[in-house]
């Protein structure tokens, strides 16, 4: 068995847990923080008949030919000298991203997930279209910058407004996302013309489900909200949440496998609502979503499953 390469930053509890599990199994695992490059890490490779050959070095040197799996977890941005001019810094970061990640991305090993697939699947309009094609129940949805189109869609109902992207990083490197918001037609104004917006029908919920997919293994966990804020968006009130097992319907499982195959994803964190009449309504798939807290709270063996996958023991 070769080296398992984990690409992530230093502050990552999920990676910590999986790396500890791999170490317990005496697997060869290297954790590489991309922010070390180029100041505390070097790459030296040459193109051979079968691809790139050479070494990536940081705290230790890694022979690319010995890597058997790569976990694209939460890699940090490349870190170039702060006293360089802005244009030089931007150029250096761009070259580092294409150079280092391009070399690693060319390796014919198991990727969880390959960065190109991860990036493509992050486009919510893409994943919603694929979800509809493969038979998942998707809410009525529009994307628009036209106020009249938005008002026509909303009609006399209340709808959900949510961000199309995964949020932004603040100047303090903190992740900020737009919480789910309830809107009525009379709240739509000319500000809608400023960018693209996603509006979606409001789905009644018995509970929500985070379905974590690791290869062929699926881990559905019901999330029960204990507050009004959490019932609208459970991310806004974690202390009120309770978790429990839930059975995944056969037809949903079949469609999820088709979704993952078409998006080219090995891993995904999928969000569903279960309606009072038992329908599973798909909201989104996060190709690199968080899951460690669910493994702990619900007692689900996802840490072991990820370690199995990285070791190729999941077949």
């Amino acid at each position: 068995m070769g080296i398992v390469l984990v690409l992530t930053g230093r502050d990552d509890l999920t990676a910590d847990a999986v790396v500890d599990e791999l170490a317990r199994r005496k697997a060869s695992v290297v954790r590489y923080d991309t922010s070390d490059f180029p100041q505390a890490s070097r790459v030296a490779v040459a193109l051979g008949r079968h691809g790139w050959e050479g070494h990536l070095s940081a705290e230790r040197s890694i022979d690319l030919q010995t890597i058997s799996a790569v976990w694209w977890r939460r890699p940090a941005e490349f870190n170039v000298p702060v006293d360089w001019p802005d244009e030089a810094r931007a150029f250096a970061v761009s070259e580092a991203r294409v150079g280092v990640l391009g070399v690693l991305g060319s390796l014919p090993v198991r990727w969880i997930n390959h960065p190109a697939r991860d990036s493509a699947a992050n486009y919510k309009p893409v994943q919603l279209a694929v979800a509809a094609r493969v038979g998942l129940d998707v809410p009525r949805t529009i994307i628009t910058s036209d106020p009249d189109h938005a008002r026509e869609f909303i009609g006399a109902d209340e709808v959900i407004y949510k961000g199309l992207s995964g949020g932004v990083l603040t100047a303090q490197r903190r992740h900020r996302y737009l919480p789910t918001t309830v809107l009525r037609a009379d709240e739509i104004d000319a500000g809608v013309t400023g960018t693209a917006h996603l509006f979606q029908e409001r789905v009644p919920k018995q509970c929500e489900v985070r379905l974590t997919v690791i290869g062929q293994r699926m881990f559905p966990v019901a999330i029960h909200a204990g507050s009004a804020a959490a019932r609208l968006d459970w991310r806004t009130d974690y202390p009120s949440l309770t978790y429990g097992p839930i059975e995944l319907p056969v037809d949903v499982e079949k469609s999820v496998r088709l979704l993952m195959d078409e998006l080219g994803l090995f891993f995904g964190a999928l969000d569903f609502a279960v309606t009072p009449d038992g329908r599973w309504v798909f909201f989104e798939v996060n190709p690199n979503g968080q899951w460690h807290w669910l493994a702990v709270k619900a007692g689900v063996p996802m840490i072991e499953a990820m370690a199995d996958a990285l070791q190729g023991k999941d077949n």
Side-chain angles (χ1 to χ4, degrees), residues 13-190:
L13 291 175
T14 305
D16 292 346
V18 176
V19 169
D20 287 348
E21 175 64 20
L22 289 167
R24 186 188 66 78
R25 300 179 183 192
K26 302 189 183 310
S28 182
V29 55
V30 174
R31 183 169 177 159
Y32 180 70
D33 186 349
T34 44
S35 69
D36 285 343
F37 188 88
Q39 299 193 73
S41 170
R42 291 185 178 180
V43 62
V45 300
L47 186 61
R49 291 184 60 189
H50 302 291
W52 293 102
E53 302 169 352
H55 295 80
L56 179 68
S57 61
E59 293 179 359
R60 60 177 281 193
S61 181
I62 310 165
D63 183 344
L64 297 186
Q65 304 305 305
T66 65
I67 296 173
S68 59
V70 183
W71 185 16
W72 177 262
R73 172 55 196 159
R74 292 285 167 114
E77 186 57 276
F78 295 97
N79 188 17
V80 299
V82 295
D83 56 347
W84 287 8
D86 288 346
E87 288 187 6
R89 296 185 76 248
F91 176 76
V93 168
S94 178
E95 294 294 285
R97 186 181 299 116
V98 175
V100 175
L101 299 185
V103 166
L104 291 176
S106 72
L107 298 179
V109 300
R110 169 168 286 180
W111 277 85
I112 307 177
N113 292 304
H114 193 285
R117 297 289 192 177
D118 187 285
S119 178
N122 256 315
Y123 282 84
K124 194 169 291 186
V126 172
Q127 56 179 253
L128 288 173
V130 174
R133 283 201 300 270
V134 300
L136 288 168
D137 190 342
V138 181
R140 291 187 307 110
T141 305
I142 64 167
I143 296 172
T144 190
S145 63
D146 183 336
D148 291 335
H149 184 208
R151 294 188 193 99
E152 181 181 359
F153 174 76
I154 298 169
D157 299 324
E158 290 182 332
V159 299
I160 295 298
Y161 171 68
K162 59 177 69 171
L164 279 162
S165 64
V168 297
L169 282 176
T170 66
Q172 294 75 35
R173 305 297 294 173
R174 293 183 178 179
H175 188 251
R176 294 283 301 275
Y177 69 89
L178 185 69
T180 301
T181 305
V182 178
L183 285 179
R184 299 184 305 274
D186 60 8
E187 297 176 277
I188 300 298
D189 59 26

Side-chain angles (χ1 to χ4, degrees), residues 260-277:
M260 298 293 286
D261 287 347
E262 185 160 341
L263 293 176
L265 299 177
F266 187 95
F267 170 90
L270 291 78
D271 289 327
F272 290 86
V274 180
T275 66
D277 61 357

Side-chain angles (χ1 to χ4, degrees), residues 179-259:
T180 301
T181 305
V182 178
L183 285 179
R184 299 184 305 274
D186 60 8
E187 297 176 277
I188 300 298
D189 59 26
V192 170
T193 62
T195 190
H197 304 269
L198 183 146
F199 298 96
Q200 209 164 55
E201 69 171 307
R202 190 173 185 181
V203 177
K205 303 171 183 176
Q206 175 191 137
C207 68
E208 295 192 58
V209 174
R210 168 59 67 90
L211 172 63
T212 306
V213 180
I214 304 174
Q216 294 301 305
R217 301 180 69 179
M218 297 194 183
F219 301 94
V221 176
I223 301 174
H224 300 279
S227 69
R231 280 188 285 275
L232 180 61
D233 186 340
W234 54 259
R235 299 171 300 174
T236 62
D237 190 6
Y238 281 94
S240 79
L241 304 178
T242 56
Y243 309 89
I246 189 170
E247 186 174 348
L248 182 64
V250 173
D251 60 331
V252 175
E253 178 180 349
K254 180 180 178 181
S255 292
V256 167
R257 293 200 187 281
L258 292 172
L259 174 75

